[in-house]
Amino acid sequence: MFEFSVNPSVEELRVNQEDFIYQKMHWDAWQTPRNLFLALVGELGELSVDVASNEKYTNQVSDETDKDERLNTNSEDSNSKVEEVLSELADVLSYLICLAQECQVDIAIPDTLRKDESSSSFSEVSWNEIEVTAFYRTVRISEKTGIISDFLSICFSASRLADEFQWIIVDKNLKNLSRDKQNITDEKIKDLFCQVVVFASKYAYDLPKLLQEKNIKVAQKYCKSVGILTKDDVIKSRYLHLPSFHNNGSSSKDPDRYLLDKSVKTLQPSTDRLLCKLLESAGLVAESFQWKTDLDDALIVPAISDPMHAHLCNQLSTITNLIQTLAQLHSISLAESFNKKMYKNRGKYSLSNSKGDFVKYSEKAEDTSDHDLIKNDPEPIIKYPTATTLADATTAMQLFVDERKWNKYHKNPRNLTIALFGEIGEVIELFIEKRSSDFAARLGDELSDCLAYTVRLASCCDIDLTAAMFHHFP
């Protein structure tokens, strides 16, 4: 029967990471909740690649199956594939521990208990107790079985945290939140930790040993004899190999006609694999902005000559293509769904209630029936184009944001990246829960939200998404 190693405890892991980050690397300034959440999203994106490609090598273990026995009977190639999953899972857990510490959430205990600000330690609880608590606390969402479905459940739990980090102007610690808001954040972080623990236990991944080994490798990677690498060194080196992308008239042959319902060439992969690919691209976008600051937008948005600009063009094009593919695979008109969602949102976030404020999670933005959405607060709908192309969708979203004076939120790509990940999580939820009779309509709604944030993120980064789509997906 598989069991986690007794040591190191969660608290010992936290102490080791704290010593490395704060004492050896002096990365204090980068350890903000938003940075860590974006880093977590980036690691989930990398893990999605390994989970999707290594599905056949990774099987659930039964109570009678010993991990060592399983590995001994598998091929060398199989063991290598499993190790890839283990490495990325360790990174996910590492950032989750850092995020919990920065948010003063004691993930080692089951109850909602916010730590005293003067104490950064976790409770000394055995991994066996944590595992039992995690299984008891975690409610299985997915109707399907298998490592991909279980991994998507983790991503859905992570996406629920996006609400806590997305619409702020300057990054700040969460300790200044109201008590109710703190409790919500605490619960979401603990839920995510429990999902990771259950996932690891189910597939016989020894988390404490895994993270201890990973921490040693990370220390060797960044603490070199020539000196300690800074976060700036990491950022500058990441995209140097990428070729520059220039719009250079790529869309001039038909500048406004990249259709939302364009027929997408696809090999008809499974929906689960498409979702993993979507998570991969979202993670790569998150990694572009994770070690940045919210204080100066000029430091965040890459110049067109910057290799990171080409990287973002590629990933946002891929995300758009995947949104189109998912819609096509499920016989959904993306254009029709997007227009319906825009109409609904104009009522939900009416000008009289929303101007200058972000009220998505307040009582002002409660859902109403479609028929009652805008009759009490009519807006000049004629100004909004009936979106059939990417250019139309971009224009409609720009007008929507301008009228509500939300540019102070939308000019920061970190906000939009986190919001996009949150919406991808809502798409995932539809596929891992039991299908309802209105599945197609709900999926169209959520894919429209993903498209909305994708075109906004492209605009924010000075990317001509139409040109990029013609370049990458002609």
Side-chain angles (χ1 to χ4, degrees), residues 286-421:
E287 287 183 342
S288 304
F289 302 117
Q290 65 190 31
W291 304 125
K292 302 285 186 178
T293 173
D294 290 298
L295 296 176
D296 189 349
D297 296 316
L299 297 177
I300 301 177
V301 179
I304 293 178
S305 59
D306 190 326
M308 194 173 85
H309 187 273
H311 168 75
L312 290 171
C313 284
N314 184 19
Q315 298 310 322
L316 293 179
S317 298
T318 300
I319 289 171
T320 303
N321 177 262
L322 290 167
I323 292 170
Q324 291 177 309
T325 303
L326 283 166
Q328 179 176 294
L329 199 59
H330 294 275
S331 304
I332 293 170
S333 168
L334 188 57
E336 181 180 343
S337 297
F338 180 83
N339 288 314
K340 285 182 178 179
K341 193 59 186 280
M342 287 299 299
Y343 178 84
K344 180 178 180 179
N345 283 344
R346 289 200 298 274
K348 188 175 181 180
Y349 311 120
S350 62
L351 291 179
S352 58
N353 286 336
S354 304
K355 214 160 194 175
D357 295 314
F358 186 78
V359 297
K360 184 170 185 177
Y361 301 103
S362 77
E363 68 282 355
K364 296 180 181 179
E366 291 179 352
D367 278 311
T368 58
S369 69
D370 288 346
H371 297 293
D372 296 331
L373 280 173
I374 64 173
K375 68 180 184 180
N376 295 324
D377 192 13
E379 298 181 25
I381 299 176
I382 193 172
K383 294 193 302 182
Y384 288 84
T386 299
T388 59
T389 68
L390 274 177
D392 294 337
T394 300
T395 300
M397 282 303 300
Q398 184 62 60
L399 180 59
F400 183 79
V401 170
D402 286 345
E403 285 190 326
R404 284 154 187 79
K405 300 187 183 300
W406 283 354
N407 281 299
K408 61 184 178 182
Y409 302 106
H410 281 238
K411 69 180 181 179
N412 187 326
R414 287 153 60 87
N415 280 344
L416 296 165
T417 300
I418 294 172
L420 174 59
F421 178 71

Side-chain angles (χ1 to χ4, degrees), residues 184-199:
I184 292 172
T185 303
D186 295 355
E187 288 293 335
K188 290 179 179 179
I189 291 176
K190 289 185 179 183
D191 284 344
L192 177 55
F193 179 65
C194 287
Q195 286 280 0
V196 173
V197 170
V198 169
F199 179 87

Side-chain angles (χ1 to χ4, degrees), residues 13-199:
L13 289 170
R14 185 201 65 77
V15 170
N16 291 339
Q17 288 189 189
E18 183 180 50
D19 179 65
F20 173 73
I21 292 168
Y22 293 96
Q23 303 303 321
K24 290 187 173 65
M25 301 304 292
H26 303 289
W27 284 352
D28 312 41
W30 306 99
Q31 298 297 108
T32 63
R34 287 237 290 181
N35 280 353
L36 293 168
F37 180 72
L38 284 166
L40 177 64
V41 172
E43 294 304 333
L44 287 172
E46 293 184 27
L47 181 56
S48 71
V49 179
D50 296 321
V51 167
S53 61
N54 303 333
E55 181 180 17
K56 66 179 180 180
Y57 296 104
T58 312
N59 300 312
Q60 180 179 349
V61 294
S62 65
D63 290 344
E64 294 78 25
T65 304
D66 183 80
K67 181 185 179 186
D68 292 333
E69 178 182 345
R70 182 190 67 177
L71 291 178
N72 288 334
T73 57
N74 284 343
S75 66
E76 182 178 340
D77 183 48
S78 172
N79 291 340
S80 174
K81 297 294 185 182
V82 171
E83 289 301 319
E84 291 175 3
V85 176
L86 296 178
S87 178
E88 298 304 337
L89 185 63
D91 287 336
V92 170
L93 181 60
S94 177
Y95 284 124
L96 183 53
I97 289 175
C98 289
L99 180 62
Q101 177 176 343
E102 289 300 315
C103 296
Q104 292 93 41
V105 180
D106 189 348
I107 56 176
I109 56 176
D111 299 323
T112 299
L113 176 62
R114 196 160 185 88
K115 298 187 301 181
D116 187 275
E117 291 177 20
S118 61
S119 173
S120 60
S121 61
F122 294 151
S123 299
E124 285 287 359
V125 180
S126 72
W127 278 99
N128 180 56
E129 292 175 285
I130 291 174
E131 182 182 7
V132 171
T133 299
F135 271 101
Y136 178 78
R137 182 186 177 96
T138 302
V139 177
R140 181 167 180 79
I141 304 171
S142 179
E143 291 291 308
K144 297 180 285 186
T145 58
I147 190 170
I148 292 183
S149 295
D150 293 331
F151 167 70
L152 291 176
S153 294
I154 291 177
C155 293
F156 170 65
S157 292
S159 72
R160 294 176 65 241
L161 268 171
D163 294 353
E164 315 307 316
F165 302 110
Q166 59 191 18
W167 300 123
I168 59 177
I169 299 175
V170 177
D171 200 359
K172 56 177 179 286
N173 199 295
L174 300 184
K175 64 185 179 182
N176 295 321
L177 296 175
S178 66
R179 169 58 60 181
D180 289 343
K181 189 71 170 176
Q182 286 176 351
N183 288 340
I184 292 172
T185 303
D186 295 355
E187 288 293 335
K188 290 179 179 179
I189 291 176
K190 289 185 179 183
D191 284 344
L192 177 55
F193 179 65
C194 287
Q195 286 280 0
V196 173
V197 170
V198 169
F199 179 87

